[in-house]
Amino acid sequence: MDFLDKLNPQQRAAVTAGNGPVLVVAGPGSGKTRVLTQRIAYLIAEEGVRPWQILAVTFTNKAAKEMQERVKKLLPDQATEGIMLGTFHSICARILRREAEHLPIESNFVIFDADDQERIVKNVIRELNINEKLYRPAGVHAAISRAKNELIDADDFPTLTYRDEVTKRVYAEYQKRLIASNAVDFDDILVYTARLLEDNPSVRDKYAQRFRHVLVDEFQDTNLAQYALVKHLASFNRNVFCVGDQDQSVYSWRGADYRNIHRFEQDFPDAQTILLEQNYRSRQTILDAAMGVIDRARNRKRKQLFSDRGAGEKIFFYEAPDDYAEASFVVDSIAQLVASRQFEPGDCAVMYRTNAMSRLIEEAFLQARLPYRLVGAQRFYGRREVKDVIAFLRLIHNPADEASLDRIINVPPRGIGEKTLTTLHMVARQNEMQPGEVLIDLARGDQSAHWKSFTGRAALPLADFGGMLANWRVAAQTLNVPELFDRVVKDLGYKEYIDDESEEGEDRWENVIELKHLADEYSTRTLDEFLENIALVSDQDTIAEGNVPTLLTLHAAKGLEFGAVFIVGLDDGILPHSRSFDNPESMEEERRLFYVGITRAKDKLYLVRAIQRGGRGSLEETFPSRYLDDVPSDLLVGKTRTGRSLRGQMPETKWQTHRTQGQPASVPPAKYRAGTRIKHPSWGEGIVLDSKVQDDDEIVDVVFESVGIKRLSASLANLKII
């Protein structure tokens, strides 16, 4: 197979590994997607494995789609249809719908999103007369989610404190509400599948025997439920191929447990372990800095990352006087990189520990009138108008969907207040029905057995909406997804409601139109599939394209790469985050997060912090991140933690090579090099970013603490080297 010739020895060993368990420890930028893809192609082309006998699990729909396309390109003349390839959640949802007879829910279950889940928890807390200020719904739901990730149900929830007792009560009722609504949350999709395989040997054997090979991407990000799934599905053939790197495990807040790599080694002691250490992304200087940081981590497999791309430039470290100057430095530096044609705008990224840190950076971009892309702050599917339309479609699909009903029963306003809604829920409970069923029955007017449970003023709008819902359900039997979408929006007069002819109103309506474009792709598919894919879409699946700098959190940066990376906010209390100080495990994860950020950079890396932070008027002095001390000082240029000058050799740039070819040998070398600390008679101290000889003069780019970046003629500027 020709593609094997393009692999390095470690990659080739992984792709052609024999039967049995295999653990591939893949360093950043080591080509793990290539290894996974070519492993699938190798199994089909060389080992005679049928496509339907392969299960490949990824963490985003985007990655699954990319993998599928790559396999087809590798095997253009062979059938590749039938591979079960997707995210844990999408694959498990498929299994659950097929095996619903073994579950407490029906096969047409709906998937509640985070808002729906929290709303149900909130209702339960109120109905149980629990103090909502002491037991906030978000916190209680997080505790329930953690329990589910560890396969702990409500009956077995540990109660060491009174708070645990309260959480256990809410958990039990919350789960009853989900089942009554014929709904699952994201955790249930995994838990139900894990229990299905655990408790039903015949079902487990059916899938375990079908899948001769199970391949898992990003194995370090699996939780306990996902690990149990992998074990069950690989229990018959034991051909399990896991690719991961505990150094990049940064999602414990989502339930990810890097210790699954240790569990794998204990459960499969005969497993081959293959290290992928050659990096195809970054310059060696960046990799050396990353290893300086991660080698201090505990309980890890040590890797020696290396690159054939050369050493590259040193890492630029900058301490800004305050957080406004920090933001200005970043934007000015990006503008300089683009103006000098070293990078395209889309090659640049700004990364930070928390979303809140984006505000000043955004302001700096806006003041400079430069475009940017913000990732993760407000997802498309999290916008109000988008969630409203989806809720209507979910309710049509499943009238038992309590969360969707509560969200849109008065959208657009139709005179149904909180008191009426509470009564609707109460009547439904008394009659062992769901509110949606009562609503549809009320469309029969005074013929409904529930009519007298409401005042006339309340019953009429409920009946009108119930009639509309009933008509939509009938229409859904003959209309396809885009036709049903149009019918609902038209019947509601939703455009008139959402678009008030302001710019904001136009934007809201454009979001509805964008959702309609997605619906158009489902003209030959079911409403069930449309709603499921929307529910399972991930943050990275919604990243927009465009040649502009990207602003994103370090968590969102995982799996991405950029030519020039700025990591800002490198202060203790931000990275590592202050809430991690008392937890050694959390501090280890913060270290891994910094490592992930560093290894996103291909050619140029900036590490930036602010001496004072807090905005103008209430500045507080900060301390440098303790992880900065682990970056070898000989890899840095710029201003160090102590404020002294670091004078590294400035690497030759493409511009310099082009300009100096053919020039006389007598042209003097540049006097000012990147990292040189200088003083200007008016603007004070600054640091040289770049310098080049031009027309017998030296043109110097300097970042000043007082005025930002300036381009100066050395013969006129009267600069002094400090």
Side-chain angles (χ1 to χ4, degrees):
M1 301 183 73
D2 293 342
F3 60 76
L4 293 178
D5 298 335
K6 299 178 182 179
L7 301 176
N8 67 43
Q10 293 168 308
Q11 291 173 329
R12 189 184 181 101
V15 169
T16 61
N19 289 337
V22 179
L23 176 63
V24 180
V25 181
S30 60
K32 69 178 180 62
T33 303
R34 171 189 288 186
V35 166
L36 274 165
T37 305
Q38 298 194 6
R39 171 70 172 173
I40 295 172
Y42 178 82
L43 291 173
I44 294 172
E46 294 294 316
E47 297 296 320
V49 179
R50 308 301 297 162
W52 55 268
Q53 295 176 313
I54 296 174
L55 170 66
V57 188
T58 69
F59 266 79
T60 67
N61 295 314
K62 183 179 179 181
K65 184 178 180 181
E66 179 184 345
M67 201 174 294
Q68 188 96 44
E69 291 171 349
R70 287 196 189 187
V71 171
K72 287 180 180 179
K73 287 182 180 178
L74 289 171
L75 303 175
D77 300 324
Q78 292 181 261
T80 58
E81 297 298 326
I83 301 171
M84 188 172 275
L85 200 162
T87 65
F88 271 104
H89 287 88
S90 64
I91 288 170
C92 287
R94 217 178 307 174
I95 292 174
L96 291 180
R97 294 196 192 280
R98 291 176 181 174
E99 308 296 338
E101 62 185 285
H102 302 286
L103 305 172
I105 52 176
E106 302 296 324
S107 61
N108 68 333
F109 62 81
V110 294
I111 302 169
F112 280 0
D113 67 13
D115 287 347
D116 301 326
Q117 296 162 32
E118 193 170 318
R119 189 178 293 112
I120 298 285
V121 170
K122 188 174 184 177
N123 289 343
V124 171
I125 287 174
R126 287 179 175 176
E127 291 182 24
L128 293 178
N129 292 318
I130 296 169
N131 189 329
E132 196 175 328
K133 292 183 179 180
L134 293 177
Y135 298 92
R136 296 187 180 277
V140 174
H141 178 260
I144 294 172
S145 180
R146 284 194 297 270
K148 288 186 176 184
N149 285 333
E150 296 175 12
L151 296 175
I152 299 171
D153 60 24
D155 291 339
D156 298 325
F157 190 87
T159 52
L160 303 177
T161 65
Y162 181 68
R163 174 171 287 276
D164 294 337
E165 292 278 0
V166 172
T167 301
K168 181 173 184 174
R169 288 168 57 204
V170 176
Y171 185 178
E173 185 60 28
Y174 167 75
Q175 203 61 29
K176 289 179 184 176
R177 299 282 178 91
L178 287 177
I179 293 172
S181 294
N182 193 34
V184 296
D185 60 20
F186 292 122
D187 301 315
D188 284 335
I189 294 174
L190 305 178
V191 172
Y192 276 146
T193 311
R195 293 221 172 100
L196 172 72
L197 300 178
E198 176 77 31
D199 300 338
N200 296 273
S202 61
V203 177
R204 179 177 66 243
D205 292 345
K206 177 171 68 174
Y207 289 98
Q209 290 178 31
R210 170 186 166 177
F211 297 125
R212 282 181 56 189
H213 289 269
V214 177
L215 300 90
V216 185
D217 191 12
E218 303 287 6
F219 187 60
Q220 78 283 344
D221 291 334
T222 54
N223 59 34
L224 198 57
Q226 289 164 331
Y227 180 70
L229 285 166
V230 172
K231 277 186 62 180
H232 288 316
L233 293 170
S235 59
F236 185 82
N237 292 296
R238 297 187 79 253
N239 295 326
V240 55
F241 186 92
C242 295
V243 181
D245 180 8
Q246 66 194 73
D247 292 343
Q248 297 181 71
S249 179
V250 295
Y251 294 131
S252 65
W253 49 280
R254 291 183 183 173
D257 191 343
Y258 72 93
R259 291 171 296 187
N260 283 343
I261 290 179
H262 301 308
R263 293 186 179 103
F264 181 90
E265 293 172 325
Q266 293 170 356
D267 292 335
F268 298 95
D270 57 330
Q272 300 180 60
T273 299
I274 300 170
L275 301 181
L276 300 185
E277 298 172 299
Q278 182 169 354
N279 180 287
Y280 293 90
R281 175 189 300 150
S282 305
R283 301 283 188 174
Q284 190 63 49
T285 296
I286 293 170
L287 297 180
D288 290 344
M291 285 187 289
V293 171
I294 203 63
D295 281 347
R296 298 290 186 93
R298 299 180 289 113
N299 302 320
R300 59 178 290 271
K301 286 186 181 297
R302 189 181 179 91
K303 297 184 296 297
Q304 188 63 39
L305 303 178
F306 66 94
S307 171
D308 289 340
R309 297 194 61 228
E313 298 182 33
K314 291 196 174 186
I315 296 163
F316 201 95
F317 178 76
Y318 179 64
E319 277 183 324
D322 58 36
D323 42 6
Y324 277 86
E326 177 185 53
S328 296
F329 167 77
V330 169
V331 174
D332 289 346
S333 297
I334 290 176
Q336 163 62 24
L337 292 175
V338 173
S340 62
R341 298 187 178 180
Q342 296 181 57
F343 295 95
E344 289 291 315
D347 293 332
C348 303
V350 186
M351 301 176 186
Y352 34 80
R353 175 62 180 83
T354 63
N355 267 316
M357 292 198 66
S358 73
R359 182 177 68 86
L360 291 180
I361 298 168
E362 286 187 80
E363 287 183 6
F365 271 102
L366 292 170
Q367 289 170 3
R369 297 190 176 184
L370 295 174
Y372 63 91
R373 174 173 60 247
L374 181 67
V375 172
Q378 177 61 62
R379 291 178 53 209
F380 175 79
Y381 296 103
R383 293 167 187 164
R384 188 192 81 190
E385 56 278 6
V386 174
K387 289 177 71 68
D388 282 351
V389 176
I390 291 171
F392 279 109
L393 295 173
R394 279 183 19 180
L395 191 62
I396 294 167
H397 177 62
N398 175 23
D401 185 342
E402 182 177 315
S404 291
L405 176 66
D406 286 0
R407 178 181 183 88
I408 48 80
I409 195 167
N410 202 40
V411 175
R414 53 178 61 90
I416 301 174
E418 284 292 329
K419 186 176 180 181
T420 301
L421 181 59
T422 301
T423 304
L424 178 63
H425 279 282
M426 182 185 70
V427 171
R429 301 266 185 270
Q430 290 171 347
N431 291 275
E432 297 184 347
M433 299 172 67
Q434 284 302 299
E437 296 171 310
V438 175
L439 191 68
I440 291 174
D441 190 71
L442 286 171
R444 297 166 53 221
D446 58 8
Q447 299 299 309
S448 169
H450 311 297
W451 186 263
K452 293 183 179 179
S453 299
F454 301 86
T455 65
R457 186 176 178 182
L460 287 173
L462 287 173
D464 287 344
F465 186 55
M468 192 181 294
L469 178 58
N471 289 335
W472 287 336
R473 282 183 54 76
V474 172
Q477 297 174 23
T478 56
L479 299 181
N480 62 24
V481 173
E483 289 169 344
L484 181 62
F485 186 106
D486 287 341
R487 168 77 179 271
V488 170
V489 170
K490 181 180 179 181
D491 287 355
L492 290 169
Y494 198 73
K495 184 180 190 303
E496 293 74 15
Y497 164 64
I498 205 72
D499 186 2
D500 58 5
E501 298 185 351
S502 67
E503 288 187 8
E504 293 82 1
E506 291 175 3
D507 289 342
R508 288 194 291 266
W509 179 243
E510 286 175 3
N511 289 332
V512 176
I513 295 299
E514 183 61 28
L515 184 62
K516 173 58 166 55
H517 291 161
L518 179 63
D520 289 339
E521 298 176 16
Y522 286 76
S523 60
T524 60
R525 299 166 70 184
T526 65
L527 179 60
D528 203 5
E529 291 174 291
F530 175 70
L531 295 173
E532 181 171 304
N533 285 333
I534 284 176
L536 297 178
V537 73
S538 72
D539 283 346
Q540 287 198 7
D541 292 332
T542 63
I543 293 177
E545 301 297 328
N547 190 17
V548 295
T550 300
L551 280 57
L552 71 172
T553 65
L554 288 163
H555 282 104
K558 189 167 175 292
L560 304 178
E561 60 181 37
F562 300 91
V565 168
F566 294 76
I567 303 179
V568 301
L570 288 172
D571 310 329
D572 254 19
I574 297 178
L575 185 69
H577 199 281
S578 56
R579 62 171 171 259
S580 302
F581 286 168
D582 297 331
N583 187 326
E585 283 290 335
S586 296
M587 290 295 285
E588 289 291 291
E589 181 160 323
E590 295 289 299
R591 177 184 292 279
R592 295 195 294 269
L593 193 58
F594 186 32
Y595 169 79
V596 165
I598 292 173
T599 55
R600 300 309 94 194
K602 294 162 66 176
D603 297 299
K604 206 171 183 73
L605 176 64
Y606 295 78
L607 305 179
V608 189
R609 66 172 300 265
I611 296 172
Q612 297 181 100
R613 196 174 292 280
R616 290 170 179 154
S618 57
L619 291 173
E620 294 183 3
E621 187 172 353
T622 65
F623 296 92
S625 169
R626 62 195 70 189
Y627 302 144
L628 284 169
D629 290 328
D630 300 328
V631 179
S633 60
D634 62 332
L635 303 179
L636 298 171
V637 294
K639 185 179 176 185
T640 68
R641 275 83 76 188
T642 60
R644 68 180 184 276
S645 175
L646 279 173
R647 298 182 185 173
Q649 292 294 315
M650 183 181 68
E652 189 178 66
T653 65
K654 291 181 180 179
W655 192 95
Q656 285 176 300
T657 303
H658 175 74
R659 289 288 300 175
T660 56
Q661 282 180 344
Q663 289 185 346
S666 60
V667 173
K671 177 181 179 182
Y672 302 95
R673 301 189 180 278
T676 301
R677 192 162 182 81
I678 57 88
K679 188 171 184 179
H680 185 274
S682 300
W683 296 323
E685 295 185 3
I687 302 171
V688 175
L689 290 176
D690 195 11
S691 176
K692 51 184 172 285
V693 175
Q694 180 177 321
D695 300 328
D696 297 327
D697 197 356
E698 187 172 355
I699 306 302
V700 188
D701 292 322
V702 182
V703 57
F704 293 97
E705 294 180 359
S706 58
V707 293
I709 295 176
K710 295 291 183 182
R711 176 165 289 180
L712 306 170
S713 164
S715 63
L716 301 174
N718 193 22
L719 301 177
K720 291 184 179 179
I721 296 177
I722 301 176

